[in-house]
Each structure stands twice: as structure tokens, then as C-alpha cells.
Amino acid sequence: MNFSATAHALESGLLDHWEVGETLPSAEYSLKVGLGQFRPGGAVSVPIDSAARNGRVLVAVRPINVSIERSEGGFCAENITLQIFAAGENAQQALADFRSQLFELYAHYSKLTEDEVVGEGARLRELFVENFRVR
Amino acid sequence: MGSTTRRVDQYPNAPLTEVACEIRFPGEIAVESCRDRFWDRIRDAYPTIKVPQAKAGSAPALQHYRYSTAPSGGRNVAVAINSLALSEERYTTHKPFLAEFKRLHSVFSKCYPKIEKLNRIGWRYMNLIPYVREEGNVPLARFIKLTLPMPASLPGQIRNVQLSLEVPISKGLAIIKLATVHDTRDTQREALLLDLDFSFERPNMRMSEAPSLMAEAHKRNRQVFEDLITDQYRSYLRGEAI
């Protein structure tokens, strides 16, 4: 730690001479300026675990993997397993639309009984009923 | 550890972007004057040499020569008059990485037998955690358990983070750096940089102890990572997400 300037600053009253302490990290490293793991233009995966609407919160038992990617005219946010394909002018709006659709689909499927769905509908109903709770 | 913090060797969704480990020792002139002695013994695996560019205010002998497996990406061995480091961008698990460090350490020790003591030994994880802002703020609490007590006049939302902590932990030092960063090619793509460094810096560390101390530094740094992330994020890293 180098606080050598501190004493001088206190003596002179000039606090703008203060220096921050120097940390000593291990090993030089070169973090890629462009975020190495991001492919240019490629999708990034972001986990979310809830969606709120009108004071009610839909909570996921397991995290939901949302794939966010640039598309024509904006961004899309999607999860193929849940059959949610949302869009927005920017990543924040696309994710907000995703949460909104998540809430709507949960509301829809959680009202259905086993007898009312077959095939893909049955799979989605089971997925929503088993993995989400409303608080 | 309970079941929620059960550790796995490799997370399928690991946020690691680079891993590095390093030993530092009292400056040994032979490391600089006889560079070929070491490189000749590892050149088959590390055929690419990257020399440092001159930096104002930085002694050339303290800047690392890098020997790489490939012109870009892959593994790098970095050597300076007082330092030996190994780094990797496509890190998988610690076992092959530690095994390679042990091999390099053995070769290095034979090339420069006068190096008997260590000043410092450290393990570093650089993580990039992609996120999307919520109402303009960083959803930090979804990923990281690190919280600072805030006065009532400051609301809990965070617009940006630039934090560096040094935390002494029983005979070692954890340096935790947390920052919001963005992709320079696309500023909408944002991530949390979680840079974790764990080191031992104490007198009387012997060169021969480096592999075992490095294994301990890895273990301790991994524990810091596990303790810092939320259970929900860990579940995502494990590939348990829907």
C-alpha cells in the first residue's frame, strides 16, 4: 500500500494530493477489451428467477435461461423450452416483454386441468405448474 | 457444505474468461540473461513467443516474456526476472491446469536452481457475468451476495459498480474486484467483471513448496467465489436452468 502522499496532504491541507492504495494482483493478465466470451453479434444468456405484475410476483423454482440477441430493429429475448419469444427496442425492453409473457403464459397454463391439454400443451402446462409459484 | 453449495469441478455455464496463477521470487538475473534455458525445455508446447512492448516507467526486466501455445487464446507462460505465471483463457478444470503448473515449476526450478525462496504465490479468476439492466439498474443481488450496509438516505438500487476490496483471510489475502463493464463493440451487451485473486505473501516460503501452496491458493480462491455467488446463480451455472 502506498500512502506516501497522505502525510504530505495532511501537512499542507491539500487533500487532492491523496492517492489510492495500490493493490498487488497476481499475474499480469489481459482481459479482452471486447469481453472475450462474447461473440460479436452473438446471443448472451442471462438467468432470471421472477416476474412481477400488479403487485404479484411469479417466482421460478429453477432459474430461467433467457437468450438475448440483437435482431432486426431491436432485440429479442427467448426461451425455447418455455416457448417464449419476446422483443424490444433494447435488451431491457426485450427482457421486460419476456417477463410479461412469462406471467401471461403461467396464468394461462396454471388454470388448465390435465384433461384440457394434450401434446405440447400438456408439456407446457406441466412445466409451468411444477416450476413456478405466485407470491 | 450443504447441498445448495455442493461443489462441482466444472460448471457448464461457468463465467470464467481467464485464469492465472503466479509465483514471485527475489529477482534472479539468470532468468533474464538465460531465457533460452527455460524456453528450450517448453518450446514444443509453447512455440509462440510474445515479447513485451516498452512501457514508460516500467523496468523492462519486470515485464513478462510470454510463451504461448498459439498466437491468440490458449495457454500462456509468462516469465520475468522475479515471476513465473501460467494463464489460460479456455480453462476447463483446475486439475490439468495445476498439473501443468507443477510441470512448469519443476522445469523452471531445474533451469534456475538458485531460486530457493518465494515472495508471493497467487491464484486469480477473472469472471464475466452477463446481465441486462432492470429499470436502468444493475441486478447485482441476483448474482452476488456481496452487500455493503447503506444509510437510509441511499436507496438500494445500483447504476454502476467499481469496487475493490482487500480482505485478509487466515494467512492469505483475497483481492475482490467487482465492476460493471460493457462490450466496446456493442454497449448494450453488459457484464459484471468479478476478478478474484487469492495470494499467500509471507516469509520463508520455499520454492519447492510452490505446487502445494498453489493448490491451496486455488482451493481458497474457489471458496471465495462459491461464497460470493447466490444459490440461484449457482443453480444456473450448474446448468439446472429451464
Side-chain angles (χ1 to χ4, degrees):
Chain A
M1 304 286 278
N2 175 16
F3 287 109
S4 58
T6 305
H8 170 72
L10 288 172
E11 284 166 15
S12 64
L14 296 171
L15 293 181
D16 56 352
H17 283 276
W18 283 56
E19 290 178 355
V20 295
E22 185 186 356
T23 57
L24 185 66
S26 293
E28 277 192 1
Y29 76 98
S30 52
L31 187 67
K32 299 296 170 285
V33 175
L35 301 188
Q37 71 177 37
F38 290 179
R39 297 188 312 277
V44 292
S45 290
V46 175
I48 66 166
D49 55 19
S50 63
R53 178 185 278 188
N54 300 330
R56 299 169 73 208
V57 181
L58 180 66
V59 179
V61 175
R62 293 187 284 154
I64 304 158
N65 190 354
V66 185
S67 174
I68 297 179
E69 191 168 11
R70 266 194 191 277
S71 62
E72 282 183 31
F75 280 76
C76 59
E78 60 185 46
N79 180 297
I80 291 169
T81 307
L82 293 171
Q83 289 289 295
I84 298 177
F85 303 94
E89 286 180 10
N90 54 44
Q92 285 185 67
Q93 285 182 9
L95 190 58
D97 186 35
F98 184 97
R99 289 178 196 274
S100 175
Q101 288 193 35
L102 180 67
F103 219 117
E104 281 174 24
L105 284 172
Y106 172 79
H108 173 71
Y109 282 106
S110 61
K111 280 180 192 161
L112 298 173
T113 63
E114 276 185 59
D115 301 337
E116 293 175 302
V117 283
V118 292
E120 183 66 0
R123 182 189 72 81
L124 284 168
R125 179 192 169 278
E126 189 180 341
L127 199 58
F128 278 101
V129 169
E130 289 187 355
N131 289 288
F132 295 90
R133 305 283 179 270
V134 174
R135 284 184 192 153
Chain B
M1 280 187 283
S3 60
T4 55
T5 54
R6 178 174 51 87
R7 183 181 286 179
V8 292
D9 268 359
Q10 184 182 10
Y11 288 128
N13 292 326
L16 273 176
T17 188
E18 194 167 353
V19 175
C21 65
E22 181 196 39
I23 54 174
R24 289 187 190 171
F25 41 83
E28 169 54 50
I29 196 71
V31 176
E32 191 188 10
S33 60
C34 306
R35 289 196 179 108
D36 61 311
R37 210 188 277 174
F38 179 58
W39 187 59
D40 270 349
R41 287 164 176 79
I42 65 165
R43 65 191 300 168
D44 288 346
Y46 299 90
T48 304
I49 301 177
K50 297 172 185 170
V51 296
Q53 290 194 351
K55 272 191 219 166
S58 178
L62 298 176
Q63 295 180 35
H64 292 85
Y65 264 59
R66 287 169 182 268
Y67 310 126
S68 304
T69 52
S72 67
R75 270 186 186 158
N76 297 289
V77 177
V79 179
I81 195 170
N82 65 344
S83 164
L84 169 70
L86 174 66
S87 67
E88 184 165 30
E89 291 173 31
R90 297 188 185 93
Y91 179 85
T92 52
T93 68
H94 67 283
K95 284 178 186 166
F97 191 74
L98 273 172
E100 179 62 356
F101 171 75
K102 192 174 176 182
R103 182 184 79 86
L104 292 167
H105 168 266
S106 172
V107 173
F108 193 79
S109 297
K110 284 172 188 156
C111 291
Y112 309 111
K114 288 182 183 169
I115 302 170
E116 294 176 342
K117 288 186 176 178
L118 296 175
N119 293 335
R120 190 174 193 274
I121 193 160
W123 184 285
R124 188 166 185 173
Y125 283 130
M126 277 74 74
N127 301 281
L128 281 171
I129 304 172
Y131 71 91
V132 172
R133 289 177 183 272
E134 295 175 11
E135 297 176 355
N137 298 313
V138 182
L140 189 63
R142 292 191 193 289
F143 304 99
I144 308 290
K145 285 194 283 193
L146 189 67
T147 55
L148 296 174
M150 301 278 256
S153 59
L154 291 175
Q157 291 87 359
I158 294 171
R159 186 61 52 88
N160 281 302
V161 184
Q162 193 80 303
L163 185 67
S164 181
L165 300 171
E166 289 188 32
V167 185
I169 310 174
S170 57
K171 296 180 183 174
L173 181 72
I175 301 176
I176 301 164
K177 291 184 178 175
L178 181 66
T180 41
V181 295
H182 64 260
D183 187 337
T184 52
R185 298 161 301 193
D186 183 349
T187 55
Q188 291 247 349
R189 292 149 67 87
E190 296 186 283
L192 286 167
L193 169 62
L194 179 63
D195 180 352
L196 303 176
D197 184 318
F198 187 91
S199 65
F200 294 112
E201 195 172 351
R202 58 186 187 227
N204 303 321
M205 290 191 295
R206 295 195 309 274
M207 183 68 168
S208 58
E209 293 177 299
S212 61
L213 286 170
M214 192 61 83
E216 181 65 15
H218 156 262
K219 196 173 146 189
R220 304 282 289 276
N221 205 355
R222 176 70 189 260
Q223 189 62 51
V224 171
F225 176 77
E226 294 293 338
D227 291 345
L228 277 175
I229 62 172
T230 63
D231 288 341
Q232 278 286 339
Y233 185 52
R234 189 177 355 264
S235 174
Y236 168 77
L237 296 184
R238 281 184 188 148
E240 295 169 356
I242 299 167

